Coordinates of all heavy atoms in Angstrom, one line a residue:
A251 N -48.5 12.8 -52.2 CA -49.0 11.8 -53.1 C -50.5 11.6 -53.0 O -51.1 11.7 -51.9 CB -48.2 10.5 -53.0
P252 N -51.1 11.1 -54.1 CA -52.5 10.7 -54.0 C -52.6 9.4 -53.3 O -51.6 8.6 -53.3 CB -52.9 10.5 -55.5 CG -51.7 10.6 -56.3 CD -50.5 11.0 -55.5
S253 N -53.7 9.2 -52.6 CA -53.9 8.0 -51.9 C -55.4 7.7 -51.7 O -56.2 8.4 -52.4 CB -53.3 8.1 -50.5 OG -53.3 6.9 -49.8
R254 N -55.7 6.7 -50.9 CA -57.1 6.5 -50.6 C -57.3 6.4 -49.1 O -56.4 5.9 -48.4 CB -57.7 5.2 -51.2 CG -57.7 5.3 -52.8 CD -58.4 4.2 -53.4 NE -59.9 4.3 -53.2 CZ -60.7 5.1 -53.9 NH1 -60.2 5.9 -54.8 NH2 -62.0 5.1 -53.6
H255 N -58.4 6.9 -48.5 CA -58.6 6.9 -47.1 C -60.0 6.7 -46.8 O -60.9 7.2 -47.5 CB -58.1 8.2 -46.5 CG -58.3 8.3 -45.0 ND1 -57.5 7.7 -44.1 CD2 -59.3 9.0 -44.3 CE1 -57.9 8.0 -42.9 NE2 -59.0 8.8 -43.0
A256 N -60.3 5.9 -45.7 CA -61.7 5.7 -45.3 C -62.0 6.6 -44.1 O -61.7 6.3 -43.0 CB -61.9 4.2 -44.9
F257 N -62.6 7.8 -44.5 CA -63.1 8.7 -43.4 C -64.3 8.0 -42.7 O -64.5 8.1 -41.6 CB -63.5 10.0 -44.0 CG -62.5 10.9 -44.6 CD1 -62.2 10.8 -46.0 CD2 -61.8 11.7 -43.8 CE1 -61.2 11.6 -46.5 CE2 -60.8 12.5 -44.4 CZ -60.5 12.5 -45.8
K261 N -65.9 2.7 -46.5 CA -66.0 3.5 -47.7 C -64.7 4.3 -47.9 O -64.4 5.1 -47.0 CB -67.2 4.4 -47.7 CG -68.5 3.7 -47.6 CD -69.7 4.7 -47.6 CE -71.0 4.0 -47.7 NZ -72.1 4.9 -47.7
T262 N -64.1 4.1 -49.1 CA -62.8 4.9 -49.2 C -63.0 6.0 -50.2 O -63.8 6.0 -51.1 CB -61.6 4.0 -49.7 OG1 -61.9 3.5 -50.9 CG2 -61.4 2.9 -48.7
A263 N -62.2 7.1 -50.0 CA -62.3 8.3 -50.8 C -60.9 8.5 -51.4 O -59.9 8.1 -50.8 CB -62.6 9.5 -50.0
S264 N -60.8 9.1 -52.6 CA -59.5 9.5 -53.1 C -59.1 10.7 -52.3 O -59.8 11.6 -52.0 CB -59.7 10.0 -54.6 OG -60.0 9.0 -55.4
T265 N -57.8 10.7 -51.9 CA -57.3 11.7 -51.0 C -55.9 12.1 -51.5 O -55.3 11.4 -52.4 CB -57.1 11.2 -49.6 OG1 -56.4 9.9 -49.6 CG2 -58.5 11.0 -48.9
Y266 N -55.3 13.1 -50.8 CA -53.9 13.4 -50.9 C -53.3 13.2 -49.5 O -54.0 13.5 -48.5 CB -53.6 14.8 -51.3 CG -54.0 15.2 -52.7 CD1 -54.1 16.5 -53.0 CD2 -54.3 14.3 -53.7 CE1 -54.5 17.0 -54.3 CE2 -54.6 14.7 -55.0 CZ -54.7 16.0 -55.3 OH -55.1 16.4 -56.6
G267 N -52.1 12.9 -49.4 CA -51.4 12.8 -48.1 C -50.0 13.1 -48.1 O -49.4 13.0 -49.2
A270 N -48.7 9.6 -46.2 CA -49.8 9.0 -45.4 C -51.1 9.0 -46.2 O -51.1 9.6 -47.3 CB -50.1 9.9 -44.1
S271 N -52.1 8.2 -45.8 CA -53.3 8.1 -46.7 C -54.1 9.4 -46.6 O -54.8 9.8 -47.6 CB -54.2 7.0 -46.2 OG -54.7 7.2 -44.9
V272 N -53.9 10.2 -45.6 CA -54.5 11.5 -45.5 C -53.7 12.2 -44.4 O -53.0 11.6 -43.6 CB -56.0 11.4 -45.1 CG1 -56.2 11.1 -43.6 CG2 -56.8 12.7 -45.5
D392 N -71.1 7.4 -51.7 CA -70.1 6.3 -51.8 C -68.9 6.6 -50.9 O -67.9 5.9 -50.9 CB -69.7 6.1 -53.2 CG -68.9 7.3 -53.8 OD1 -68.8 8.3 -53.1 OD2 -68.4 7.2 -55.0
G393 N -68.9 7.7 -50.1 CA -67.9 8.0 -49.2 C -66.8 8.9 -49.8 O -65.8 9.2 -49.1
S394 N -66.9 9.2 -51.0 CA -65.8 10.1 -51.6 C -66.0 11.5 -51.2 O -67.1 12.0 -50.8 CB -65.8 9.9 -53.1 OG -67.1 10.3 -53.7
L395 N -64.9 12.3 -51.4 CA -64.9 13.7 -51.0 C -65.3 14.4 -52.3 O -64.7 14.3 -53.3 CB -63.5 14.1 -50.7 CG -62.9 13.8 -49.4 CD1 -61.4 14.2 -49.5 CD2 -63.6 14.5 -48.3

Side-chain angles (χ1 to χ4, degrees):
S253 188
R254 295 193 70 78
H255 177 77
F257 292 94
K261 295 180 174 181
T262 64
S264 293
T265 51
Y266 294 163
S271 66
V272 77
D392 66 355
S394 63
L395 285 173

